[in-house]
Amino acid sequence: MYPADLVKPMREDLTNIGFQELHTVEDVEKAMKLEGTTLVVVNSVCGCAAANARPGARISLQNAKKPDNLVTVFAGVDKEATEKARDMMVPFPPSSPSMALFKDGELVHMLERHHIEGRPAEMIAENLIGAYNEFC
Protein backbone atom coordinates (compact mmCIF):
# COMPACT_ATOMS: atom_id res chain seq x y z
CA MET A 1 0.00 0.00 0.00
CA TYR A 2 1.17 3.49 -0.83
CA PRO A 3 1.20 6.27 1.80
CA ALA A 4 -1.84 8.56 1.68
CA ASP A 5 0.34 11.67 1.32
CA LEU A 6 2.03 10.19 -1.75
CA VAL A 7 -1.18 9.39 -3.63
CA LYS A 8 -3.19 12.46 -2.57
CA PRO A 9 -2.16 14.64 -5.54
CA MET A 10 -2.66 11.68 -7.91
CA ARG A 11 -6.17 11.17 -6.57
CA GLU A 12 -6.87 14.89 -6.87
CA ASP A 13 -5.92 14.86 -10.56
CA LEU A 14 -9.22 13.04 -11.04
CA THR A 15 -11.39 14.18 -8.13
CA ASN A 16 -10.75 17.83 -9.02
CA ILE A 17 -12.40 17.23 -12.41
CA GLY A 18 -15.45 15.44 -11.02
CA PHE A 19 -14.45 11.81 -10.46
CA GLN A 20 -15.86 10.09 -7.40
CA GLU A 21 -13.46 7.83 -5.53
CA LEU A 22 -14.57 4.28 -4.81
CA HIS A 23 -12.85 2.89 -1.73
CA THR A 24 -14.86 -0.26 -0.99
CA VAL A 25 -16.49 -3.17 -2.78
CA GLU A 26 -19.85 -1.67 -1.84
CA ASP A 27 -18.88 1.65 -3.45
CA VAL A 28 -18.05 -0.17 -6.71
CA GLU A 29 -21.26 -2.22 -6.66
CA LYS A 30 -23.33 0.91 -6.09
CA ALA A 31 -21.56 2.81 -8.89
CA MET A 32 -22.10 -0.03 -11.36
CA LYS A 33 -25.85 0.12 -10.71
CA LEU A 34 -26.06 3.76 -11.80
CA GLU A 35 -28.09 4.39 -14.93
CA GLY A 36 -26.43 5.68 -18.06
CA THR A 37 -22.75 5.61 -18.84
CA THR A 38 -19.99 5.30 -16.26
CA LEU A 39 -16.29 5.81 -16.87
CA VAL A 40 -14.11 3.86 -14.44
CA VAL A 41 -10.46 4.88 -14.23
CA VAL A 42 -8.11 2.48 -12.47
CA ASN A 43 -5.61 5.03 -11.20
CA SER A 44 -1.98 4.25 -10.48
CA VAL A 45 1.27 5.79 -9.22
CA CYS A 46 3.12 4.85 -12.41
CA GLY A 47 4.47 7.39 -14.85
CA CYS A 48 2.05 6.47 -17.63
CA ALA A 49 -0.87 7.27 -15.32
CA ALA A 50 0.60 10.71 -14.63
CA ALA A 51 1.70 11.54 -18.17
CA ASN A 52 -0.94 9.77 -20.23
CA ALA A 53 -3.97 8.30 -18.46
CA ARG A 54 -5.10 11.08 -16.12
CA PRO A 55 -4.43 13.88 -18.64
CA GLY A 56 -6.16 11.82 -21.35
CA ALA A 57 -9.23 11.39 -19.15
CA ARG A 58 -9.27 15.12 -18.40
CA ILE A 59 -8.98 16.13 -22.07
CA SER A 60 -11.69 13.65 -23.08
CA LEU A 61 -14.22 15.38 -20.84
CA GLN A 62 -14.08 18.51 -23.01
CA ASN A 63 -16.20 16.61 -25.55
CA ALA A 64 -19.89 17.50 -25.98
CA LYS A 65 -20.88 13.92 -25.18
CA LYS A 66 -19.40 12.48 -22.02
CA PRO A 67 -20.21 9.85 -19.41
CA ASP A 68 -23.01 10.43 -16.94
CA ASN A 69 -20.85 9.13 -14.09
CA LEU A 70 -17.12 9.41 -13.43
CA VAL A 71 -15.56 7.07 -10.88
CA THR A 72 -12.08 5.90 -9.95
CA VAL A 73 -10.34 3.23 -7.92
CA PHE A 74 -6.67 3.40 -6.98
CA ALA A 75 -4.55 0.31 -7.63
CA GLY A 76 -2.18 -0.42 -4.75
CA VAL A 77 -4.30 1.59 -2.33
CA ASP A 78 -7.97 0.56 -2.48
CA LYS A 79 -7.22 -3.13 -2.97
CA GLU A 80 -10.69 -4.66 -2.59
CA ALA A 81 -12.43 -1.90 -4.58
CA THR A 82 -9.87 -2.25 -7.37
CA GLU A 83 -10.30 -6.03 -7.47
CA LYS A 84 -14.09 -5.65 -7.66
CA ALA A 85 -13.84 -3.10 -10.46
CA ARG A 86 -11.44 -5.35 -12.36
CA ASP A 87 -13.82 -8.30 -11.92
CA MET A 88 -16.37 -6.26 -13.84
CA MET A 89 -13.86 -5.71 -16.66
CA VAL A 90 -13.49 -9.40 -17.52
CA PRO A 91 -12.41 -10.76 -20.03
CA PHE A 92 -9.68 -8.11 -19.90
CA PRO A 93 -6.78 -8.94 -17.58
CA PRO A 94 -6.03 -6.63 -14.66
CA SER A 95 -3.89 -3.65 -15.59
CA SER A 96 -3.22 -0.23 -14.23
CA PRO A 97 -3.76 2.31 -15.29
CA SER A 98 -6.80 1.33 -17.29
CA MET A 99 -10.15 2.84 -18.24
CA ALA A 100 -13.47 1.18 -18.81
CA LEU A 101 -16.74 2.63 -20.07
CA PHE A 102 -19.93 0.96 -18.89
CA LYS A 103 -23.45 1.57 -20.14
CA ASP A 104 -26.17 0.59 -17.69
CA GLY A 105 -23.66 -1.69 -15.95
CA GLU A 106 -22.43 -3.41 -19.12
CA LEU A 107 -18.82 -3.02 -20.27
CA VAL A 108 -18.83 -1.36 -23.70
CA HIS A 109 -15.27 -0.02 -24.11
CA MET A 110 -11.90 -0.78 -22.55
CA LEU A 111 -8.46 0.83 -22.56
CA GLU A 112 -5.79 -1.38 -21.04
CA ARG A 113 -2.36 -0.28 -19.91
CA HIS A 114 -0.82 -1.30 -23.23
CA HIS A 115 -3.24 1.13 -24.94
CA ILE A 116 -2.09 3.91 -22.60
CA GLU A 117 1.62 3.42 -22.00
CA GLY A 118 3.77 5.35 -24.48
CA ARG A 119 0.82 7.09 -26.12
CA PRO A 120 0.19 10.83 -25.79
CA ALA A 121 -2.72 11.99 -23.65
CA GLU A 122 -4.40 13.45 -26.75
CA MET A 123 -4.48 10.02 -28.41
CA ILE A 124 -6.02 8.48 -25.30
CA ALA A 125 -8.58 11.28 -25.20
CA GLU A 126 -9.46 10.69 -28.87
CA ASN A 127 -10.03 7.01 -28.14
CA LEU A 128 -12.31 7.84 -25.21
CA ILE A 129 -14.15 10.51 -27.19
CA GLY A 130 -14.91 7.95 -29.88
CA ALA A 131 -16.46 5.71 -27.24
CA TYR A 132 -18.40 8.62 -25.71
CA ASN A 133 -19.79 9.59 -29.11
CA GLU A 134 -20.92 6.02 -29.69
CA PHE A 135 -22.30 5.12 -26.25
CA CYS A 136 -23.11 8.33 -24.35
Side-chain angles (χ1 to χ4, degrees), residues 92 99-102 106-111 127-128 130-131 135:
F92 299 95
M99 302 179 194
L101 184 65
F102 292 84
E106 180 184 339
L107 180 64
V108 294
H109 188 76
M110 184 73 190
L111 278 172
N127 182 295
L128 290 171
F135 297 108

Side-chain angles (χ1 to χ4, degrees), residues 8 11 32 91 104 110 118 122 133:
K8 184 177 188 267
R11 288 182 183 273
M32 291 298 102
D104 298 324
M110 184 73 190
E122 294 79 12
N133 288 340

Side-chain angles (χ1 to χ4, degrees), residues 88-128:
M88 302 183 93
M89 297 173 192
V90 169
F92 299 95
S95 67
S96 51
S98 61
M99 302 179 194
L101 184 65
F102 292 84
K103 184 167 186 170
D104 298 324
E106 180 184 339
L107 180 64
V108 294
H109 188 76
M110 184 73 190
L111 278 172
E112 299 174 83
R113 179 186 178 106
H114 69 88
H115 297 121
I116 296 168
E117 191 172 31
R119 291 183 171 75
E122 294 79 12
M123 183 180 284
I124 293 161
E126 287 175 21
N127 182 295
L128 290 171

Side-chain angles (χ1 to χ4, degrees), residues 38 60 63 79:
T38 302
S60 77
N63 191 49
K79 186 176 189 268

